[in-house]
Amino acid sequence: MMRAFGALVVAVSLAGAVHAQAPAAPDGMSLLGRIYQATEKLSYTGIFVYQQGDRVETSRISRISGPGGELEKVEVLDGPPREILRTRDTIKCYLPESQTIKVERRVDQRAFPAMLPEKFTELAQHYTVSRGEPARIAGYDCESVVLTPKDDWRYGYKLWADSATGMLLRARTFDARGETVEQFSFTQLAIGNVSRDRLKPLRSARNWRVEHASLAPANLAGSGWSVGADLPGFRKVYELARRLGESRPVNQVVYSDGLAAVSVFIEPLAGRTEAVRPGVARLGAANLYTREVANHLVTVVGEAPAASLQRIGNTVEFRRPQ
C-alpha cells in the first residue's frame, strides 16, 4: 500500500471539548471549503511532524502550484533517507540506501496537507461539522473545524487552518474514545513563491535501479470476485490490478467516505512463502484485517476502526465465472 507516499491524514479532539462547542455547521463547512481551495492553489515550503503513538517522523515539503500543474517534493528527515516527488500523474520515491527509484502512476490525490475531497459538502451526511477553538501554529493564527462521526464506522477529525489563507497547518485523527490515532502538524511554513530548485532530487541517481509499478484497471466482478463496502457512506473510488516487477499480481479496490479510505487487496496464495495470519492487526495508524478466500489472501487495510475493516472483508466472495 502506498501509504508512504502520502496518504490519509487527520484529526483529534477530546470528547469533552467537542461537546462544549456549540454546533456551527455552516461556518464549519465554509472553513472546509477554504482549506480545500488553499491546498489546491497555494505554493509553499515547510517542515511538518507526523506523530502516531511513540512514532515521530519529521519531513520537509515543498510544493509549486500553477498553470503548468502541481509539483511536490517530500523529504523524510528521520530514519533512512527518502525523497518523494509527486506530480499530478506520477509518484517517484528515491531510496538512497538501496539506490532505487520506485515509480508509480498516481491514483490517490490525498496527502497531507491536500487531504479534502472536492465534494466535501457530502461529509455532513456522516459527520457533525462544528467550529473548534482558535490556535497559533508555526507562527500563524489558525481557525479549527471538528468532524465528529455520526456512527461507529469511522474516525473523527480536527483540522486547523491559517485564518488568512485557509492553509491546513495541523490535522488530528481521533477514535470513539476521543483518543489520538495520528497527527500531522507544521512546525515551520512559508507560503508563497517557491523556487523550482527546491523540488530537485538531492542526489543525481544516474545509475540507480528504477522499478516501475504496473497499474491497470481491473474488473474483479468479471473474474468472479464480489466485494461490497457494506458501510454507510463508503463508495468505491477505483479498482486496479497492481504488479511490481516479477511479483504476483494484486487486485486492489479502494473505498472512501470522502475522508477515510479503505483498501481491499486480493492476491493468490500460490507461491507465497510467508505464513498467513488471519484476523485483525495494527499497522501504524491503520488497522488491518486478513482472511483466506478461494485460495487467495484478502487483506483490508485503512485508517478506520477494526470493525469496519472486518465488515468489508467479510463481504468478499468468489464464484467461478460460468
Side-chain angles (χ1 to χ4, degrees), residues 45-313:
T45 183
I47 293 176
F48 68 87
V49 175
Y50 168 73
Q51 296 173 288
Q52 189 274 316
D54 294 333
R55 178 189 172 198
V56 179
E57 185 175 87
T58 307
S59 300
R60 180 184 291 114
I61 184 172
S62 298
R63 185 180 191 273
I64 295 176
S65 179
E70 67 177 51
L71 184 62
E72 179 181 289
K73 173 184 169 183
V74 177
E75 179 189 356
V76 180
L77 302 178
D78 299 328
R82 283 171 286 156
E83 289 183 80
I84 302 151
L85 271 65
R86 299 188 186 99
T87 67
R88 186 168 293 276
D89 302 318
T90 62
I91 301 171
K92 292 182 179 180
C93 184
Y94 292 75
L95 305 173
E97 289 189 345
S98 61
Q99 295 193 341
T100 302
I101 306 173
K102 296 181 180 290
V103 183
E104 181 167 318
R105 179 166 58 87
R106 188 174 184 181
V107 292
D108 189 349
Q109 303 298 318
R110 302 177 317 144
F112 181 79
M115 54 159 292
L116 286 170
E118 185 174 358
K119 297 181 179 179
F120 60 87
T121 53
E122 297 180 4
L123 296 175
Q125 297 177 25
H126 304 286
Y127 297 88
T128 298
V129 182
S130 60
R131 290 299 292 266
E133 75 286 350
R136 185 162 171 79
I137 300 170
Y140 292 84
D141 292 326
C142 295
E143 305 171 71
S144 67
V145 58
V146 182
L147 295 96
T148 306
K150 295 181 179 180
D151 55 38
D152 296 328
W153 301 115
R154 63 204 90 225
Y155 289 139
Y157 306 96
K158 187 172 183 180
L159 313 176
W160 288 261
D162 173 33
S163 299
T165 64
M167 176 71 188
L168 183 63
L169 270 77
R170 178 178 294 168
R172 287 182 179 177
T173 306
F174 60 92
D175 61 20
R177 298 185 299 273
E179 297 179 354
T180 303
V181 176
E182 67 177 356
Q183 175 175 277
F184 291 78
S185 184
F186 275 103
T187 59
Q188 178 184 326
L189 179 67
I191 302 172
N193 293 330
V194 176
S195 169
R196 285 190 171 268
D197 289 341
R198 283 185 172 271
L199 283 87
K200 294 179 179 179
L202 295 177
R203 301 162 181 83
S204 66
R206 183 174 301 173
N207 297 315
W208 289 16
R209 183 175 72 256
V210 179
E211 296 181 353
H212 290 272
S214 172
L215 296 179
N219 180 10
L220 271 70
S223 56
W225 290 98
S226 62
V227 184
D230 198 33
L231 287 177
F234 279 80
R235 302 176 182 176
K236 184 166 67 175
V237 180
Y238 54 81
E239 196 171 296
L240 294 171
R242 292 178 172 271
R243 184 192 291 268
L244 180 61
E246 298 301 318
S247 64
R248 297 185 301 275
V250 178
N251 289 312
Q252 179 187 10
V253 188
V254 177
Y255 295 93
S256 177
D257 69 348
L259 280 177
V262 175
S263 287
V264 181
F265 295 92
I266 302 174
E267 60 178 302
L269 284 172
R272 182 182 176 89
T273 57
E274 306 91 345
V276 176
R277 296 181 180 178
V280 176
R282 193 71 181 263
L283 183 65
N287 286 306
L288 182 146
Y289 175 62
T290 304
R291 61 186 286 248
E292 290 185 38
V293 180
N295 203 34
H296 282 69
L297 178 65
V298 174
T299 304
V300 187
V301 62
E303 293 179 348
S308 300
L309 306 188
Q310 287 180 286
R311 184 166 168 173
I312 292 176

